[in-house]
Amino acid sequence: MFKTLKSKLLAIFTFFSLSCILILVLSNYYSYKKEKVDIAERSVDLVYTSILNKFLLVADFLAIETRNLNFFKTGESEILFKIDSINKSVHNQILAIEKNSLTKKFDLDNSLLFIEEKLNMNNYFFNELVKSYKSKGYANYGYVGQMRAYSHKLEKYNFFDKATILTLRRHEKDYMIKYEDKYIDSLKKHAEIFMNHIIVEVKLSDKEKDSCVFYLKNYVAYFDSMTIMNKKIGIKDNSGLSYSINKIQDEIQSEFSKLTKLAYNLEQSLYENLNYSFIAYSLLLIITSLFISIYLSDRITRPILLLAKKCHGFVNSKFEKNDDCEIHTQDVEIKDLINNFQILQTEIVGLLVDFKQKVEDRTKTIELQKDNLIALNATKDKFFSIIAHDLKSPFSSIIGFSEILESNIDKYDKQKVKQYVSFINKSANQTFKLLENLLEWARLQRGQIVPELKKINLKTIAEETYLLAYDVAIRKKINLQNNIIDDIFSKCDINITKTIFRNLVSNALKFTCENGLVSISAKQNESFIEIKIQDTGIGISPEKISNLFSLENNISTKGTDNETGTGLGLMLCKELIEKQGGKIWVESELEKGSTFNFTLLTFNSDFYDKN
């Protein structure tokens, strides 16, 4: 049925593709079902969370707003506004759950209907509770406020004993603290005594007696109204409206516990079905794959292994044995592979002869490169001879001065010790700069320096160089200036460019006399930025300028303060500048100074990319 390797592999691929598609369809189906259950469960949790938040806000209202003067004054409350918002949100969330197809399938309707009815009842009782608290009042508002007002009016009459009114108010306060009925009876009994006292009071006119009686009756009436509201609210024994609200809240929480458990069981059941289905299909796929693998290893890999054996024999013969390859197979592709191997075998034998000839030619080229390498080694030897000579001198100074200082430290005064320490420090700095340039040059020769070109503000680099060289300039009494403006940006490597600036400025300071000038400036062209390091030093003769940037025939000159050097810094600068696509040249006149010019790419230049 399948005479070609291509048709066999295509059949296998088709089978695996159909299996994967089937598993993908089942996976999507179960994911869809799982998502529906998750949505239902999350919706139930969200409604439950919202209702619990509402219950907390109700508790906050009873604890805070019932003693908040602003609530009784304006009738408005931020807590009530939040409760109203939660009620609307819960209503919308329940509607969304009812629209979910799983709600009816798993019989969630009855629980949702029960919860919605209980929520409506809870809202009704809570609204009644809020109205009752508003009627009862607090401080100067509601029944409590009216009581206070009439008691204050009674207190204005000086004919009564103040203890009588204070006793009346004490019974009122005792009730409002303990909410016990005995204080109601005590207050009414005392009010009756007070009423009789008013009637028999001879110092009061009839009009005043009528006013006092009116005030006292109203006081008692508002006190009775307040006690009625307290019992309706159920402040003392959690009866009345408070009991109804708490009972409904408990019923809602109990129903939500059942609903949450039902949603969880539904989710677990679906997950088990999903796992069983995946396990079954995975086992089927593994068994089928194992059968196909055995078939492939027998029908496809056997001729390939024989061909591999022939290839191994050809390799062991050092590509000189050219035997016929007799392998029988029904696969057209493997037959073509065998034929191509025989052709390739013949071609390799022929190419091997050509290759030997090319090796002989390449050997001659290597001999030429060997001569070039000898020349490079000679340059290297000269370089190291310079380094050895220049390293020896400062180290000799350091050792000599330190030995003198060690032997005579007790004999020399502070000024003499400071002088020797200065000599040692100067030699150490000279050695450090030499080693720093040596390491940089060595990295450059090994190809370890690869410029990372970025947008760099040249003034920033010049400022940093200025700060590093400032102490030397001050010591030698040289005016060091940075004249580069802010908006000159170059495409360069910041560390390489710092090394160039540092070496050239250090070189300029080295050969500039006291009261001289060293300046740093830059001018931007279309593709390049030209930087000038200019000094008013001793200058350079024309015959020395030609050898200034090469190691051969390079003779170092001492600075104006007898500073020594190797000339390696300038050679390093030249190679680093050229590494970044620039160039360097010198303009100098003896006894008038020198100008070291070099170029860097502008930020928008593509010169380095092209080269």
Side-chain angles (χ1 to χ4, degrees), residues 203-221:
K203 294 182 181 180
L204 294 174
S205 64
D206 292 340
K207 184 177 180 181
E208 289 175 330
K209 287 181 179 181
D210 292 340
S211 297
C212 289
V213 170
F214 176 77
Y215 294 154
L216 183 58
K217 286 182 177 180
N218 282 337
Y219 173 81
V220 174

Side-chain angles (χ1 to χ4, degrees), residues 372-418:
N372 294 332
L373 184 60
I374 291 172
L376 288 174
N377 281 333
T379 303
K380 180 197 69 174
D381 293 340
K382 181 174 179 63
F383 169 77
F384 280 117
S385 67
I386 294 173
I387 297 303
H389 176 269
D390 288 298
L391 275 177
K392 182 179 179 182
S393 179
F395 271 118
S396 298
S397 299
I398 292 171
I399 293 170
F401 285 122
S402 60
E403 287 177 350
I404 294 173
L405 193 60
E406 182 183 22
S407 301
N408 301 281
I409 187 69
D410 297 329
K411 300 178 182 179
Y412 292 155
D413 57 13
K414 185 181 292 185
Q415 188 64 31
K416 192 71 173 179
V417 171
K418 183 176 180 181

Side-chain angles (χ1 to χ4, degrees), residues 23 142 166 422 437 483:
I23 291 177
L166 290 175
S422 175
N437 285 335
N483 298 323

Side-chain angles (χ1 to χ4, degrees), residues 321-350:
K321 188 177 180 180
N322 192 1
D323 294 336
D324 292 335
C325 191
E326 296 181 1
I327 300 174
H328 300 287
T329 179
Q330 295 178 354
D331 295 324
V332 176
E333 293 89 349
I334 296 180
K335 287 181 179 179
D336 291 339
L337 182 62
I338 294 169
N339 293 332
N340 290 332
F341 171 72
Q342 291 174 340
I343 296 172
L344 181 63
Q345 192 177 30
T346 304
E347 289 290 332
I348 290 175
V349 172

Side-chain angles (χ1 to χ4, degrees), residues 112-236:
L112 291 173
L113 183 61
F114 176 82
I115 289 171
E116 200 162 14
E117 290 176 355
K118 291 297 180 179
L119 284 174
N120 292 333
M121 292 175 62
N122 181 266
N123 291 336
Y124 170 76
F125 286 127
F126 179 69
N127 290 333
E128 288 296 315
L129 185 71
V130 172
K131 291 178 183 178
S132 299
Y133 268 110
K134 286 183 179 179
S135 299
K136 174 190 172 184
Y138 179 71
N140 298 326
Y141 300 96
Y143 297 153
V144 175
Q146 293 295 331
M147 285 170 50
R148 284 190 175 184
Y150 285 115
S151 67
H152 291 328
K153 288 179 180 180
L154 287 172
E155 289 173 356
K156 291 181 180 179
Y157 289 92
N158 298 322
F159 303 105
F160 305 120
D161 185 7
K162 295 296 182 182
T164 303
I165 298 175
L166 290 175
T167 302
L168 190 69
R169 295 299 304 278
R170 181 174 59 79
H171 291 316
E172 171 199 326
K173 297 297 182 183
D174 288 341
Y175 171 76
M176 294 181 70
I177 293 172
K178 300 180 180 179
Y179 297 105
E180 295 180 0
D181 291 342
K182 67 179 182 180
Y183 296 113
I184 299 176
D185 297 336
S186 298
L187 184 141
K188 288 185 177 181
K189 183 177 180 180
H190 191 78
E192 186 177 347
I193 296 171
F194 192 20
M195 180 74 71
N196 294 330
H197 181 70
I198 293 171
I199 294 172
V200 299
E201 177 61 55
V202 295
K203 294 182 181 180
L204 294 174
S205 64
D206 292 340
K207 184 177 180 181
E208 289 175 330
K209 287 181 179 181
D210 292 340
S211 297
C212 289
V213 170
F214 176 77
Y215 294 154
L216 183 58
K217 286 182 177 180
N218 282 337
Y219 173 81
V220 174
Y222 279 114
F223 178 78
D224 288 339
S225 298
M226 180 193 70
T227 59
I228 292 170
M229 285 297 113
N230 284 339
K231 291 179 179 180
K232 181 180 179 181
I233 293 169
I235 292 178
K236 177 184 177 184

Side-chain angles (χ1 to χ4, degrees), residues 451 453 491 527-528 578-582 601 605-611:
L453 303 183
K491 181 195 286 186
S527 299
F528 293 91
E578 291 175 351
K579 194 84 173 175
Q580 298 189 104
L601 302 177
S605 174
D606 60 353
F607 175 85
Y608 192 88
D609 298 331
K610 291 179 179 179
N611 292 275

